[in-house]
Amino acid sequence: MFGKIVKGVAITLLAAVLLYLVGLIYIRGNPLWAVSFLALLVFTFYIFLAPRAYNYRYLFPGLAGIAIFVVFPLLYTVQIGFTNYSAVNLLSFDRAKKYLLDETVRKEGSGMHFSLYQDNEEYWLVLQPMQNEDDETTAEQADIDSNKQSFITSRIKLLTATLKQPLDAVLQKNDTKQTNEPLPISRIIKLRQALSNIKVRLPDGEILSYAGIREFAFMQSVYTEGPENSLNKRATGETIKPNFDTGFFETTAGARLSPGFKVGIGINNYIRMATDPEFRRPFFYIFIWTVVFAGLTVFFTLAVGFTLAVILNWPSLRFSTMYRTLLFLPYAVPGFISILIFKGLFNANFGEINIILNALFGIKPQWFADATLAKIMILIVNTWLGYPYIMILCMGFIKAIPYDLYEASAIAGAGPLTNFFKITLPLTIKPLMPLLIASFAFNFNNFVLISLLTTGRPDFLNTHVPAGTTDILVSYTYRIAFEDSGQNFGLAAAISTVIFVMVALLSILNLKLTRVNQQESR
């Protein structure tokens, strides 16, 4: 009984805390997230508390993990692919509009020099009119005139004060002249962040803002809000309207204001992938290279791994355990370390590979500058990294082949090559095929290798989007989304969606082949 009471209290407290979090999410302006979180909570409590759902509580953590970490990112990526989300269209419409309305410009001739004084933790400002350079009055007379019009603010704790209202300034009287020295320019520079939060209201109601190391000035907004979400430019009276097709505020002449805002653009990203020549040309070559890279990697790793597995299964081979251990070592070393080591080995000037080639043949290939050599280098490194996995798999499959077949073949007078092509290869390749397809899919998205070894370079010339000759689709997507100046998250999401569809098709093919093999084995 006591245990049930404790359990009930704990569940009630947990539910109250989670509902409080839902309320916070809603108050922060995310009603959709709040509803989704609430629905997840209700479903979770039902699964773990209702007797009818007892059998599902063991599946629920896995299903919830798939929904949160697989399905949701996938749907979110697909959704971004239908928008213009990018570095210049980063904000929502309301935030972009507020940014433009908050933009200010200094009113001409409104500046005042200021001096900053300190007494322990308190600071105060003294503002004086700026002197005209063409004024022929003496400096001493100018000081006297400016002192008659100087203003002084009340004292504040500059570093800790929260200023919601402008700081009032009054005309400084002769008997309140400052007795201590103003802070030097070096101290003012250190305090400029705190000074930028200060606004000073003069006796005539004019409000001055921090405008420079030694100046406060009247700052007026560049735009005012107009009807139907439009903006009016204060200086010219021009009306600027939002364009919800492009995601920018645009003038009547078509000039765009930055920052833009995020809008839905339908399938335009996918149309651009298919029709824009500046995008299509590198995309086409990168797609072809991605398929070739993944295919050749599987072929070379299979050729090397299979051959070594056959050799290591030769009964007469001595020290086979030592050879197997040594050949497995590349798989035991972390991949990113091996890639960086190979990057040093292939260095054109200081790499050991070019030193040996130069000594033997008098050549120093430019592995990172020539596109063809760079691709060959990538295939060499990836084959080195991938053949131990294939070798281990093949050794297991070869071990499963009945040795009677080889004995019967030997009685029939067959040689090693006949045994290989008639027995070993046919009986190994079928169970190996789904794994080879999985390897193809893995290398189709082998971002780490490309990123660490060549970063996609050398680049294509005369392209508007960042693209390299050794880029594969996933590294190409990464560069569009996060590198260079053209960060286009919407376009990158569209490419990611295409990659996902391709990999999904490969997975379906893999599953079908697996089922065929299972049916044949029965």
Side-chain angles (χ1 to χ4, degrees), residues 183-202:
L183 296 183
I185 191 70
S186 58
R187 292 287 312 279
I188 293 178
I189 291 175
K190 291 180 180 178
L191 295 169
R192 64 181 184 280
Q193 183 62 41
L195 288 169
S196 64
N197 297 325
I198 291 180
K199 295 185 183 301
V200 178
R201 182 190 288 117
L202 297 181

Side-chain angles (χ1 to χ4, degrees), residues 10-25:
I11 292 174
T12 304
L13 290 176
L14 179 62
V17 172
L18 294 175
L19 287 175
Y20 175 73
L21 293 177
V22 171
L24 286 180
I25 296 173

Side-chain angles (χ1 to χ4, degrees), residues 296-354:
L296 288 180
T297 296
V298 172
F299 175 76
F300 288 134
T301 54
L302 175 64
V304 176
F306 201 108
T307 303
L308 292 175
V310 171
I311 295 173
L312 290 174
N313 276 283
W314 186 31
S316 302
L317 182 67
R318 299 181 63 188
F319 310 117
S320 60
T321 304
M322 181 185 69
Y323 296 143
R324 190 181 298 117
T325 304
L326 292 175
L327 291 171
F328 186 71
L329 282 181
Y331 199 61
V333 179
F336 72 94
I337 293 178
S338 299
I339 294 170
L340 294 177
I341 290 174
F342 271 103
K343 190 173 185 178
L345 293 176
F346 278 103
N347 184 281
N349 297 318
F350 311 107
E352 285 75 5
I353 292 175
N354 268 15

Side-chain angles (χ1 to χ4, degrees), residues 76-91:
Y76 189 62
T77 301
V78 173
Q79 185 268 332
I80 292 177
F82 291 100
T83 69
N84 65 342
Y85 193 34
S86 66
V88 293
N89 297 89
L90 196 62
L91 305 177

Side-chain angles (χ1 to χ4, degrees), residues 382-396:
N382 211 25
T383 301
W384 172 267
L385 296 174
Y387 86 82
Y389 174 68
I390 300 295
M391 183 186 72
I392 295 297
L393 291 176
C394 291
M395 289 174 64

Side-chain angles (χ1 to χ4, degrees), residues 49-331:
L49 297 179
R52 290 183 178 181
Y54 184 85
N55 294 332
Y56 297 101
R57 66 184 60 180
Y58 301 105
L59 295 175
F60 180 75
L63 295 176
I66 292 174
I68 294 173
F69 299 112
V70 178
V71 177
F72 171 72
L74 173 63
L75 295 178
Y76 189 62
T77 301
V78 173
Q79 185 268 332
I80 292 177
F82 291 100
T83 69
N84 65 342
Y85 193 34
S86 66
V88 293
N89 297 89
L90 196 62
L91 305 177
S92 65
F93 172 74
D94 292 335
R95 291 187 61 186
K97 182 179 177 182
K98 184 178 183 305
Y99 178 90
L100 293 171
L101 288 173
D102 291 341
E103 193 173 340
T104 58
V105 64
R106 175 178 173 172
K107 181 181 178 182
E108 188 175 357
S110 64
M112 297 187 75
H113 283 301
F114 77 89
S115 299
L116 185 63
Y117 295 86
Q118 181 182 11
D119 183 10
N120 294 325
E121 295 182 355
E122 293 183 330
Y123 297 80
W124 66 96
L125 294 167
V126 174
L127 303 165
Q128 295 177 322
M130 299 179 66
Q131 295 180 7
N132 190 346
E133 296 180 354
D134 297 331
D135 194 348
E136 297 181 353
T137 57
T138 62
E140 183 179 358
Q141 183 61 40
D143 288 341
I144 296 174
D145 294 341
S146 62
N147 285 336
K148 291 180 179 178
Q149 304 174 35
S150 62
F151 299 90
I152 183 172
T153 67
S154 56
R155 299 189 178 196
I156 58 170
K157 293 183 178 179
L158 187 60
L159 300 177
T160 58
T162 302
L163 299 172
K164 296 182 180 179
Q165 298 295 330
L167 195 62
D168 288 322
V170 297
L171 191 63
Q172 183 175 228
K173 300 178 181 178
N174 291 330
D175 56 354
T176 60
K177 297 300 181 188
Q178 308 306 314
T179 56
N180 47 353
E181 293 294 326
L183 296 183
I185 191 70
S186 58
R187 292 287 312 279
I188 293 178
I189 291 175
K190 291 180 180 178
L191 295 169
R192 64 181 184 280
Q193 183 62 41
L195 288 169
S196 64
N197 297 325
I198 291 180
K199 295 185 183 301
V200 178
R201 182 190 288 117
L202 297 181
D204 60 358
E206 192 173 65
I207 296 177
L208 306 180
S209 301
Y210 181 71
I213 296 176
R214 282 293 190 184
E215 296 180 40
F216 267 71
F218 175 65
M219 308 294 289
Q220 61 181 2
S221 59
V222 178
Y223 304 100
T224 59
E225 190 168 5
E228 299 179 352
N229 290 319
S230 65
L231 302 176
N232 293 322
K233 193 169 185 178
R234 185 187 294 271
T236 61
E238 184 181 12
T239 299
I240 302 169
K241 296 182 178 179
N243 187 333
F244 291 99
D245 293 326
T246 62
F248 287 95
F249 280 92
E250 296 180 351
T251 65
T252 52
R256 296 175 174 177
L257 302 183
S258 293
F261 50 89
K262 187 171 67 174
V263 294
I265 58 173
I267 60 173
N268 284 357
N269 284 327
Y270 297 93
I271 293 176
R272 184 184 175 189
M273 291 165 56
T275 60
D276 187 351
E278 297 291 343
F279 180 83
R280 187 176 56 197
R281 178 175 168 271
F283 180 83
F284 176 75
Y285 285 118
I286 289 171
F287 175 75
I288 296 297
W289 161 240
T290 304
V291 176
V292 171
F293 161 72
L296 288 180
T297 296
V298 172
F299 175 76
F300 288 134
T301 54
L302 175 64
V304 176
F306 201 108
T307 303
L308 292 175
V310 171
I311 295 173
L312 290 174
N313 276 283
W314 186 31
S316 302
L317 182 67
R318 299 181 63 188
F319 310 117
S320 60
T321 304
M322 181 185 69
Y323 296 143
R324 190 181 298 117
T325 304
L326 292 175
L327 291 171
F328 186 71
L329 282 181
Y331 199 61

